Amino acid sequence: MSDSIIEEITKEQLKEGRDHFKVGDGVKVHVRVVEGGKERIQIFAGIVLARKGGGIHETFTVRRIASGVGVERVFPVHSPLIDKVEVDRESVTMRARMYYLRDRIGKEATKVKEKRIHEQRRK
Amino acid sequence: MTFALIGTKLGMTQVYDEDNNLVPVTIIQAGPCPVLQVKTSANDGYDSVQIGYNPKGKSPNKVTRPAKGHATKAGVEHQQKLQEFTIIGDSSEYEPGNVLTVEKFSDIETVDVIAVTKGRGFQGVVKRWNFKGGPASHGSMFHRRGGSYGLCQWPGRVFKNKKMPGHMGNKSRTTQNLKIVKIIPEKNIILLKGSVPGHKNSLVTVRVAKKIRKAS
């Protein structure tokens, strides 16, 4: 009984359309940043390493290489501060979590098997 | 202002507040609590309000006749749980038969929650009193013990309140100054920032924070 009430309370805060990106995808996360009373949008682009949790607790990790250093950010999926999540390239993954990318150096670090979108279009 | 409600702890979750912060909240179903009796210093020697609560939302089947009579006198159903909260000052706003709900918390910022903590059984000093214990290896032979318990021939006894192993938890404890995040009057639900004592579905008392009461 109590669990259904908890679900109801959090349901209205869930954002719709936040399940279009998956692990391995190259994404651009548009984050709302308030600076000096002004709001602007900051983009964090990288590869989704993991999606964890469920419901309102769900988070996703994005990794990018910024000036030679790996940077990871964890976002709550349903955060109101996320304006939108753009998917740049879809990928085919053999893993649920892409943690092996952390050990890679150079070009390999951003290499994920891509879904061949143009082939699908030809069909 | 003094005011309290009896309720049930439903569990914890997270919600976003106005500043878009993800806040951990405890969900408590508090009330509706009918007033069964208003005690006055002239009549009873002290000022208080007796409220009732039915945890399952309905009156219990088995009722003793004195308890039934007490409830009918106030014109309400028999309540499984009865509690009092003292009143400082004017008690005229409470009358037997009135039903108190979470809406009364709407202009209040912080509350205290009183509940029985989770029972943890017989525990040693490391878990119960946060003792450090001894080294794990190098033949120390002293791992999770409490050390020396007393002195010598003087005083020839162990002092009172010495921290020792024993039963842990299952005691009434108060968490003070919990911020009210949201109130949902239709469902008698109140969301408080942070955790409260007790397990899911345990009885809790939610009262107006003692510390703001003193300030006003």
Side-chain angles (χ1 to χ4, degrees), chain A residues 1-3 5-10 12-13 32 56-58 76-81, chain B residues 9-17 19-20 22 27 29 182 184 187 189 191 200-201:
Chain A
M1 180 204 88
S2 59
D3 284 343
I5 291 172
I6 294 172
E7 210 174 280
E8 229 168 86
I9 287 166
T10 53
E12 59 198 59
Q13 295 201 318
R32 284 203 203 112
I56 196 140
H57 313 288
E58 191 175 359
V77 171
H78 298 286
S79 169
L81 287 176
Chain B
K9 174 179 170 179
L10 295 185
M12 287 190 77
T13 184
Q14 296 171 310
V15 292
Y16 289 99
D17 65 358
D19 303 327
N20 297 326
L22 198 50
I27 302 171
Q29 191 162 40
K182 201 179 173 187
I184 309 169
K187 286 177 187 153
I189 277 173
L191 303 189
K200 263 189 198 178
N201 299 325

Side-chain angles (χ1 to χ4, degrees), chain A residues 31 38 54 67 73 87-88 102:
Chain A
V31 191
K38 264 188 187 174
S67 45
R73 269 185 83 172
V87 179
D88 281 351
R102 287 172 176 171

Side-chain angles (χ1 to χ4, degrees), chain B residues 51-105:
Chain B
I51 53 171
Y53 177 64
N54 283 324
K56 292 196 173 138
K58 56 170 188 178
S59 206
N61 295 333
K62 280 187 179 176
V63 187
T64 60
R65 296 197 71 172
K68 200 177 174 183
H70 184 62
T72 1
K73 205 175 161 192
V76 295
E77 269 193 325
H78 171 63
Q79 305 289 311
Q80 201 177 335
K81 216 73 202 172
L82 296 181
Q83 221 165 63
E84 282 180 24
F85 62 89
T86 50
I87 308 172
I88 304 161
D90 189 26
S91 65
S92 57
E93 59 174 312
Y94 301 105
E95 263 178 44
N98 284 6
V99 177
L100 310 177
T101 59
V102 282
E103 277 176 74
K104 286 211 101 178
F105 284 119

Side-chain angles (χ1 to χ4, degrees), chain B residues 103-117:
Chain B
E103 277 176 74
K104 286 211 101 178
F105 284 119
S106 51
D107 53 345
I108 285 156
E109 275 181 15
T110 52
V111 292
D112 299 339
V113 171
I114 306 156
V116 176
T117 55

